[in-house]
Amino acid sequence: MTPPPPRTPPLSGLRVLDLATLFAGPLAATMLGDFGAEVIKVEHPRKPDPSRGHGPAKDGVGLWWKLLGRNKRNLTLDLSSPGGREVLLRLVAGTDVVIENFRPGTLERWGLGWEELRAVNPRLVLTRVTAFGQFGPYAHRPGFGTLAEAMSGFAAITGEPDGPPTLPPFGLADSIAALATAYAVMTALAGRDRTGQGQVVDMAIIEPILTVLGPQPTWYDQLGYVQPRTGNRSRNNAPRNTYRTRDGHWVAVSTSAQSVAERVMRLVGRPELIEEPWFAAGSTRAEHAEELDRAVGDWIARHSREDALAAFEKAEAAIAPIHDVRDVMEDPQYRALDSVTKVDDPELGPLRMQNVLFRLSGTPGSIRWAGRPHGADTEEILAGLGYDGDRVAALREQGAL
């Protein structure tokens, strides 16, 4: 049998310049690279992306960077220098997307604003990812995802009712903004296919997290309703909480669907609650969360985690174990999906990281390599732009590389 022809990744032929640092912009570029885009990571010669130093390292190599920098070639360039500006403009002439997260006005100060970039490439999509957007009273403030988690209303509704507002222990707002940015880039490219012209994408990190928080602005606008902190409970349905099993593990239960709520009550031996008038809707069930939590919690406390999971599954009721990363690595569903996959890395050897975010049946993405050393591909990229050895040496002497 003749083997099928190799499948071309869907974003093959697309060139992306990643000028951003830390998480939202670079992660969006990673997502594009996973599906075949040629991503060139541009870092300052003497100030690498700070994500290289975030979190644990092995043998002096930052492990977060291995994930964030995958499928990217690395170029060092001081954009504020004349030589760096020259190289970037030459790169932009053959580029589809630039992703940057400098404070508004920074690229313009270097002579690399939208007018200069589109003059060399009218089809360019310039994607600007900042904390607060390109205009407004906060636009020039420094900002990170933590501020978006605070300002959006996320922290205000997260935590126990009598406890403080709670921030997530990871880059939640940045990650949501990265997903939104990748979507925005593809939308802008689709627009370019129709008009033949590039455009500017203005992504404010404070906005995507606000969108995923749901209808809170509409609730407040129409009812004056302000969602309170409820811990692990929900104001929209009950029972919904975490519960401890007999053997000391934790599980999470959700009953967003009415039919599931009824199955749970039958399973835990409290079918009479289904007949209560308030049980007929999630919002009124939430008003009786204490009673429902006792019913579910007492039943789960009498069973091991294995038995509780099996009983809920048999009853077609929604339950999941509370995993830490050790459990994630061994979970059979994640293993079946290859959600955490193995990558061979020349620096560290085989390592495991999250796989490509979704599966395409015809043109799947792939991890071709993990994050590479700072500036590892500078000479190769410049040679591709027509720079000979003498010119590269001169740029290095100037500090542009």
Side-chain angles (χ1 to χ4, degrees), residues 29-53:
T30 301
M31 293 173 182
L32 299 174
D34 284 350
F35 285 91
E38 177 200 359
V39 181
I40 297 176
K41 173 71 176 181
V42 179
E43 297 175 87
H44 193 282
R46 294 162 293 282
K47 300 174 186 176
D49 189 323
S51 65
R52 290 182 180 271

Side-chain angles (χ1 to χ4, degrees), residues 258 261-280 285 288 290-296 298-299 302:
Q258 181 69 22
E262 293 175 7
R263 290 176 203 148
V264 170
M265 289 302 105
R266 294 189 185 99
L267 172 63
V268 302
R270 298 296 303 275
E272 75 280 3
L273 294 176
I274 300 172
E275 305 306 320
E276 296 286 348
W278 51 261
F279 198 88
R285 290 201 312 272
H288 295 262
E290 289 284 353
E291 183 176 3
L292 294 171
D293 269 347
R294 279 195 302 272
V296 176
D298 289 349
W299 186 91
R302 298 194 301 271

Side-chain angles (χ1 to χ4, degrees), residues 380-393:
E380 179 186 345
I381 293 169
L382 291 177
L385 294 174
Y387 286 88
D388 61 22
D390 290 341
R391 182 59 181 144
V392 171

Side-chain angles (χ1 to χ4, degrees), residues 181-220:
T181 300
Y183 166 55
V185 166
M186 298 311 299
T187 302
L189 290 171
R192 186 183 73 173
D193 289 344
R194 290 185 171 89
T195 67
Q197 296 293 311
Q199 60 185 301
V200 176
V201 173
D202 178 6
M203 176 62 67
I205 296 173
I206 60 172
E207 291 183 308
I209 189 170
L210 177 62
T211 296
V212 303
L213 282 171
Q216 291 187 54
T218 306
W219 286 341
Y220 180 75

Side-chain angles (χ1 to χ4, degrees), residues 124-194:
L124 180 71
V125 172
L126 174 61
T127 307
R128 318 195 79 165
V129 185
T130 57
F132 305 110
Q134 294 295 307
F135 57 91
Y138 302 166
H140 290 276
R141 293 182 182 179
F144 300 97
T146 298
L147 306 190
E149 291 146 10
M151 287 181 58
S152 63
F154 171 85
I157 64 170
T158 304
E160 295 299 324
D162 57 351
T166 302
L167 295 167
F170 66 101
L172 177 63
D174 278 304
S175 299
I176 297 171
L179 287 163
T181 300
Y183 166 55
V185 166
M186 298 311 299
T187 302
L189 290 171
R192 186 183 73 173
D193 289 344
R194 290 185 171 89

